[in-house]
Amino acid sequence: MRIEHRRTHWADEQPRTRWVDQSAFRPVRPDLHLGASSHRVERPGAGASGRITVRHTVATSTADYTLLLNAPEWLGHRVVGEALRDAVAELRAIDLTYGPNRPDSLVSRLRRDEISPDSYPPLADLIDLCASMRAATDGWFDAWAVPGGFDPGGLLGGWAVERAAARLRAAGIHDYAVLSGADLTVRGRAAHGGPWRVAVHHPTDTRRTPLVLEMTTGAVGTSGVTGRRGHVIDPHTGEPTDRLAAATVIGPDLAVADAYATALYAAGPAGLAWFRQDSDYRPLFAQHRR
């Protein structure tokens, strides 16, 4: 299954995520902050020599994205610029091509039975991933149990980010962070030459000290921090669910982490059973609603 393939890919890219002792971390400024419904990027300090650093923000009809690139100088500004344009084009194309709220998107056409699931390879990949996550979450992530028909929205944003990140890697950029809302995927090193330092703030209690991760490969996916109650459907009843106030999952792939977070938000504490000790994915927050 797809998830097993991604787990092998993850295992080949050690080190990935290290939990940082908070007392030791305080003197060091995080590179990225995740919390509430958005993200924040710290202004970079002195960057490593011989590197090209780029920050770019793009807005689509469904999400805002921030791309941080840290490329070797020998790659050249032209190549880095082309890679950035290619990644941005991928994000825009997915919004136009797969957005379930767009009448002419492939997802909408699939709902109307105008095309088959295997009409386009990326669409088939998206459907296959949704099916895999439905099995992995005991049906709590179910893109087919949504009013109106098939809707991959619970993982579409993460899928878009991972496809944009793949474009960066294909161009030779292996040190980057791509953020959207309270989600992110990172790889390699930040501008200062060390792992990406990510401060993950509690989704509902801003007074709590954030959890800090040092990441060289990985993703953080969150569901339930938009402030909109009822935006996740219980696939077993068809009714909005609010068992949790928020759910955050970390792991190697943002699309999978997003799907797990969406399912955990819907299932509540029962969903914690999905995360075995040997799993590459683990819940960071499963916050009960007060």
Side-chain angles (χ1 to χ4, degrees), residues 10 17 19 22 36-37 63 66 87 108-109 134 143-144 152 158 165 179 188 198-199 204 230-231 235 260 277 282:
W10 169 253
T17 301
W19 299 87
Q22 191 66 33
S37 60
T66 299
S108 295
R109 294 179 62 194
R134 179 170 60 181
W144 290 267
L179 304 93
V198 183
T204 59
H231 72 289
Y260 269 127
Q277 189 172 4
R282 61 178 294 183

Side-chain angles (χ1 to χ4, degrees), residues 15-246:
R16 43 188 193 263
T17 301
R18 183 174 74 88
W19 299 87
V20 179
D21 177 71
Q22 191 66 33
S23 61
F25 184 83
R26 280 176 182 148
V28 184
R29 184 175 62 183
D31 303 303
L32 312 168
H33 291 263
L34 291 182
S37 60
S38 61
H39 57 264
R40 178 164 59 89
V41 179
E42 290 284 351
R43 292 189 177 187
S49 60
R51 310 292 292 184
I52 300 172
T53 58
V54 177
R55 173 180 175 178
H56 183 78
T57 300
V58 57
T60 70
S61 67
T62 55
D64 295 338
Y65 301 91
T66 299
L67 297 90
L68 305 174
L69 279 56
N70 175 33
E73 199 170 63
W74 57 260
L75 201 58
H77 288 272
R78 181 181 62 83
V79 172
V80 173
E82 289 176 351
L84 177 62
R85 286 191 292 272
D86 199 22
V88 169
E90 182 72 6
L91 292 171
R92 294 192 183 281
I94 289 174
D95 177 54
L96 291 171
T97 308
Y98 298 95
N101 295 325
R102 292 183 176 275
D104 295 330
S105 74
L106 294 182
V107 170
S108 295
R109 294 179 62 194
L110 181 67
R111 286 173 165 179
R112 297 192 297 264
D113 294 324
E114 296 175 1
I115 59 175
S116 66
D118 57 353
S119 297
Y120 301 88
L123 177 62
D125 178 78
L126 180 61
I127 293 171
D128 183 30
L129 179 57
C130 287
S132 295
M133 293 312 302
R134 179 170 60 181
T137 61
D138 301 321
W140 283 101
F141 179 92
D142 192 342
W144 290 267
V146 180
F150 176 72
D151 185 343
L155 58 73
L156 186 61
W159 189 70
V161 166
E162 291 293 351
R163 287 182 64 88
R167 294 295 185 103
L168 296 176
R169 294 194 299 275
I173 297 176
H174 299 283
D175 302 280
Y176 59 77
V178 185
L179 304 93
S180 177
D183 299 346
L184 71 80
T185 189
V186 301
R187 192 181 182 111
R189 306 282 169 169
H192 49 70
W196 294 93
R197 299 188 290 255
V198 183
V200 185
H201 294 259
H202 193 275
T204 59
D205 187 352
T206 58
R207 297 169 298 176
R208 290 196 188 184
T209 301
L211 295 175
V212 178
L213 310 174
E214 285 188 344
M215 304 178 70
T216 54
T217 302
V220 180
T222 301
S223 180
V225 297
T226 62
R228 294 186 295 115
R229 297 186 69 162
H231 72 289
V232 174
I233 300 298
D234 182 333
H236 303 293
T237 66
E239 299 295 327
T241 180
D242 59 357
R243 291 181 177 86
L244 296 178

